[in-house]
Amino acid sequence: MPDIKVLTSAKLEEMIHETEVLLARLKAELERRRNLAQTQEINRLEKHLDESEFSLATLKDFIDYLLRQMR
Amino acid sequence: MDHPLTVSHPLTGGRTRQYAKSQWLFVALLVYLLICAVGIIGGGFKAATGDQARELFTFASNPFAGLVIGTLATALIQSSSTVTSIIVGLVAGGLPVGIAVPMVMGANIGTSVTNTIVSMGHVREREGFARAFSAATVHDFFNILSVVIFLPLEMAFGVLEKLGGWLAAPFFDLGSASINSLNFVKAATAPIVNTAKQLPALLGDQAGGILMILLGVVLIFIAITFIGKLLKKLMVGKAKQIMHTAIGRGPLSGIFSGTLVTVLVQSSSTTTSLMVPLAGSNAFGLRQIYPFTLGANIGTCITAVLAATAVIGNAQAALQIAFIHLAYNVLGVIVIYGVPFLRPLPVNAALWMGDKVAEHKSLALVYILTVFFLVPGLCLGISSLM
């Protein structure tokens, strides 16, 4: 990173513009990745529906897990 | 273009279509059974209580008692649609609407125990458990906040009762074109309901009426359980499509999608429980799940409205309580999500709770027992002494 105190105003403006463009690209890429991850999860909706089925076995497993941790 | 190998055989495709058709027919039959069951409960309640429904439910005239009954019944049955449909049937049979209002509010709280239990399946991974538990409890905190806001308003001014009355009135104030004269569903369900009404004639009003209520409750439970199971299979593709459309859009789209998916699967527990693994995987943040959960509250009201359109007895009051449930959930979303300082409260509380249970996992059990059983039980005990 150059010493910004010695840079011309024009150069500073150019650097600000480049940074803003880069920031926008990074944000867009992050958003694209998030949306992709969400799309992939929704594509597995059948599996998630099975996982989200209420079962007393979940409660039993939870209690078993707690008891094992306590020992 | 489809790969030639993936093209289904005409016979297989035809068989699949036929299978889907038979499943839809079964859904229609179950909806018919649900509507009949609500009518049977109404008839049974009327026969068992005569004109003494108000006196019989004096213990629930305390709104806190009504709220607790709704919460406990739903937490035990695991279905708010079942409980609100039963309430619709009871109102049709003479239960005063004012007593039923806190019960439907309680049903909202009770239904959120399902996804909280589902979230316990994520206990083995600390961060995932925190996210899953937060995704589940955001629904609890929203519903509790909603009661805190609307129950006092209802007790002081009867806001929801009046609103439900206004919404239901047009369906009964149209003279010859009223809901009664156009109601083919009522005509279609009458043979079954009238057959069940023979029970009081055979066993006496009280025993026959109680038997009718029990029969109705069992039929509603069976109908809603199987409708949920079938629609889950039949509508999963459509639900996927709706959720894909909501990605990257704002909270309004989330609320709308949550409503639509819940209408399709006919169960708010299914929709809110579905959010648990989606949050656990970290693909969806709590702030994205929150609006979707609110939509589930609205979508679940369709079952009771459907059931109320064909009840026999006090049909206007039955439709009124169904509309009260709908209005309560819509207003809850508008007020809590619309007012900036209220909006983050359920999210913040759920995030805090998620962190705490991830740290001390046994707190999850304490939370469920306290919120859904201990506090309602204590309230019921205290209100019965008042």
Side-chain angles (χ1 to χ4, degrees):
Chain A
M1 178 85 183
D3 184 357
I4 54 171
K5 284 185 181 163
V6 298
L7 294 176
T8 63
S9 295
K11 181 67 185 168
L12 279 175
E13 274 173 18
E14 187 193 324
M15 283 174 73
I16 288 169
H17 175 70
E18 281 171 2
T19 308
E20 280 172 349
V21 170
L22 180 65
L23 187 64
R25 279 181 59 198
L26 290 174
K27 279 184 178 171
E29 175 58 18
L30 198 61
E31 187 65 16
R32 190 191 68 79
R33 288 184 193 187
R34 275 190 197 134
N35 289 347
L36 185 68
Q38 291 178 357
T39 305
Q40 284 168 347
E41 286 304 322
I42 291 172
N43 284 340
R44 298 161 63 211
L45 206 65
E46 288 90 345
K47 182 181 166 281
H48 290 316
L49 271 171
D50 289 341
E51 277 177 15
S52 60
E53 190 84 43
F54 169 80
S55 159
L56 283 176
T58 311
L59 206 55
K60 188 184 166 293
D61 287 350
F62 182 81
I63 294 168
D64 287 346
Y65 177 84
L66 287 186
L67 292 174
R68 274 201 308 276
Q69 295 292 308
M70 281 161 78
R71 275 178 213 142
Chain B
M1 204 178 93
D2 284 335
H3 190 280
L5 289 174
T6 63
V7 175
S8 61
H9 190 277
L11 278 178
T12 320
R15 218 173 285 154
T16 312
R17 269 194 301 277
Q18 211 170 0
Y19 179 68
K21 230 184 253 178
S22 67
Q23 301 254 296
W24 276 113
L25 247 162
F26 197 35
V27 169
L29 190 73
L30 288 166
V31 170
Y32 173 75
L33 186 69
L34 168 74
I35 296 169
C36 288
V38 173
I40 291 171
I41 288 182
F45 191 65
K46 203 171 176 57
T49 61
D51 294 325
Q52 311 294 311
R54 183 178 287 276
E55 287 75 13
L56 194 75
F57 270 81
T58 315
F59 74 96
S61 59
N62 178 335
F64 293 108
L67 184 74
V68 171
I69 291 168
T71 305
L72 285 176
T74 314
L76 292 171
I77 295 178
Q78 296 277 309
S79 166
S80 64
S81 304
T82 302
V83 173
T84 49
S85 297
I86 292 170
I87 294 170
V88 166
L90 293 176
V91 168
L95 176 69
V97 173
I99 291 178
V101 176
M103 291 183 185
V104 294
M105 289 182 173
N108 264 23
I109 297 179
T111 196
S112 49
V113 72
T114 310
N115 61 350
T116 310
I117 293 175
V118 167
S119 73
M120 290 172 146
H122 293 255
V123 68
R124 282 171 182 79
E125 203 256 303
R126 192 183 186 281
E127 293 302 315
F129 183 45
R131 285 193 297 268
F133 202 81
S134 297
T137 50
V138 75
H139 193 212
D140 308 357
F141 289 116
F142 175 85
N143 285 330
I144 291 167
L145 183 59
S146 205
V147 167
V148 168
I149 294 169
F150 287 101
L151 187 60
L153 284 175
E154 184 60 23
M155 286 162 71
F157 310 108
V159 184
L160 293 167
E161 196 175 338
K162 282 177 194 154
L163 190 58
W166 289 334
L167 290 170
F171 292 92
F172 293 87
D173 292 344
L174 298 171
S176 59
S178 71
I179 196 166
N180 290 317
S181 56
L182 286 175
N183 202 332
F184 304 113
V185 187
K186 194 181 276 183
T189 54
I192 303 272
V193 179
N194 289 337
T195 307
K197 276 185 177 170
Q198 302 302 314
L199 281 171
L202 290 170
L203 304 167
D205 278 353
Q206 217 161 24
I210 291 169
L211 205 64
M212 275 179 79
I213 294 173
L214 290 177
L215 177 69
V217 169
V218 171
L219 288 180
I220 287 180
F221 188 73
I222 292 172
I224 287 181
T225 305
F226 282 100
I227 288 172
K229 281 186 192 299
L230 282 170
L231 286 181
K232 225 191 244 186
K233 275 187 205 154
L234 289 165
M235 301 311 286
V236 67
K238 206 78 190 148
K240 257 186 195 179
Q241 216 177 322
I242 292 167
M243 290 175 77
H244 276 307
T245 314
I247 289 178
R249 300 194 183 195
L252 275 180
S253 169
I255 294 172
F256 191 61
S257 305
T259 306
L260 272 183
V261 171
T262 308
V263 169
L264 293 181
V265 298
Q266 284 283 303
S267 163
S268 61
S269 304
T270 301
T271 312
T272 55
S273 297
L274 185 60
M275 294 299 107
V276 170
L278 292 180
S281 69
N282 205 18
F284 287 82
L286 189 58
R287 280 176 182 79
Q288 287 167 302
I289 277 166
Y290 181 35
F292 204 82
T293 302
L294 307 189
N297 265 13
I298 299 172
T300 196
C301 301
I302 196 81
T303 316
V305 172
L306 189 72
T309 54
V311 292
I312 295 161
N314 196 350
Q316 187 161 355
L319 194 61
Q320 184 183 359
I321 192 67
F323 277 140
I324 286 170
H325 189 213
L326 179 66
Y328 169 61
N329 282 324
V330 172
L331 282 176
V333 173
I334 292 172
V335 171
I336 298 175
Y337 205 78
V339 176
F341 75 90
L342 291 176
R343 187 188 301 176
L345 294 182
V347 174
N348 293 341
L351 284 172
W352 180 81
M353 200 67 221
D355 281 344
K356 290 288 159 209
V357 298
E359 222 171 288
H360 308 285
K361 296 188 172 71
S362 53
L363 268 183
L365 268 186
V366 176
Y367 170 84
I368 288 180
L369 290 174
T370 308
V371 172
F372 298 103
F373 299 100
L374 197 63
V375 171
L378 277 175
C379 287
L380 195 59
I382 292 167
S383 65
S384 67
L385 294 174
M386 283 160 68

